[in-house]
Amino acid sequence: VQAGRYAAGLDPLTAVGGPTSAVAQALAELKSPVVQKVKPLDISGTRTLSVGNVTAISGLTTKLAVSLASQGDETALSFSLSFDPKAFQYSGVSLGSAATGAALNVNTNQLATGSLGLALALPIGSSFSAGTCEVVKVSLVPASSVTGDYAAQFGDQPVSRGIADPGANKLTASCVAGTVTVNGLPQLTIAPSDGGVTITWPVWAGDFALQTCDGSSFSPGAWTNVVTALQTNGSNVVVTLPVSGDAQFFRLQHH
């Protein structure tokens, strides 16, 4: 942020040396560099950076939303997101709905150990609106054999955590990890009912569409979406359909 303010001419250039040599303080720091361990963001106030909990399906791409509980004075942030590299494959990252126009830098140097580094900044002088702001969406693909709960956590490698305001001042925040719940492919169940059949599948697979075709063709174009009212009993999606004398087949298709 400070480099951007210099480039935009908002702050005067700050000299670190004289006409022929470095100033005393700069020279002393070069001779005796101070090495500091990077620390997580300080916890203060209500500003929070969090990973949303999400339900994923083995073998299918899922998106983790990282959101900032903004106080309205943040313009840039950086962090690393860690996940189990044996359970997930990184697929990509995109700006969140509240970060349109932001510059995004991605560091994938430590993906082998499950760490992704991210840094983004809004245009110079602008800031996020107060409230919940989706800043990035990270795409991961669970391995086909993976099921269960996995953590998605913040870290400081390869990119340390930090938040700055438009004046390049450091801000404080707390970080909240998220959970990725991975399920296997959903099972479709069909049972006879009065004058038809009742079809059910798990409610967590709500982004799947129920499709049907008759027994004469299984070509891709033969499958069509079932247009009917869907109900739920809390754990399953339930739909009851009439049947005819012809053979019919049903499947779930992921959007």
Side-chain angles (χ1 to χ4, degrees):
V1 176
Q2 186 61 68
R5 291 183 62 86
Y6 285 142
L10 297 177
D11 289 337
L13 297 180
T14 302
V16 295
T20 59
S21 63
V23 297
Q25 180 62 31
L27 186 60
E29 291 179 356
L30 287 174
K31 291 182 177 179
S32 303
V34 177
V35 179
Q36 294 181 335
K37 182 179 180 181
V38 175
K39 296 181 179 180
L41 286 171
D42 296 328
I43 297 176
S44 176
T46 58
R47 186 184 294 109
T48 304
L49 191 63
S50 60
V51 183
N53 298 327
V54 65
T55 298
I57 298 173
S58 302
L60 300 179
T61 301
T62 190
K63 292 186 177 182
L64 279 66
V66 178
S67 297
L68 172 68
S70 169
Q71 294 183 9
D73 59 351
E74 308 89 354
T75 191
L77 61 153
S78 64
F79 57 89
S80 293
L81 189 67
S82 62
F83 54 89
D84 187 341
K86 296 180 180 179
F88 299 93
Q89 180 180 0
Y90 169 71
S91 179
V93 63
S94 60
L95 290 172
S97 58
T100 302
L104 175 64
N105 292 314
V106 183
N107 187 322
T108 59
N109 291 340
Q110 296 185 22
L111 276 182
T113 59
S115 293
L116 173 70
L118 299 169
L120 64 94
L122 295 176
I124 296 298
S126 59
S127 59
F128 290 101
S129 300
T132 301
C133 300
E134 183 187 73
V135 292
V136 293
K137 291 181 288 188
V138 178
S139 297
L140 299 176
V141 182
S144 58
S145 59
V146 165
T147 58
D149 293 338
Y150 294 85
Q153 305 178 81
F154 291 102
D156 297 297
Q157 291 294 331
V159 175
S160 60
R161 281 170 279 185
I163 299 180
D165 69 9
N169 300 298
K170 180 182 178 181
L171 301 174
T172 59
S174 58
C175 294
V176 180
T179 300
V180 183
T181 300
V182 184
N183 295 310
L185 289 174
Q187 298 297 312
L188 199 63
T189 301
I190 302 178
S193 63
D194 293 340
V197 293
T198 296
I199 303 174
T200 62
W201 65 94
V203 71
W204 52 258
D207 57 347
F208 280 75
L210 179 65
Q211 295 188 329
T212 185
C213 76
D214 60 34
S216 62
S217 174
F218 287 102
S219 63
W223 292 92
T224 59
N225 289 343
V226 175
V227 180
T228 187
L230 303 179
Q231 298 179 336
T232 177
N233 59 13
S235 58
N236 292 307
V237 178
V238 182
V239 57
T240 300
L241 300 171
V243 294
S244 64
D246 300 325
Q248 273 185 288
F249 296 88
F250 297 93
R251 74 177 186 184
L252 291 177
Q253 174 68 27
H254 190 256
H255 293 302

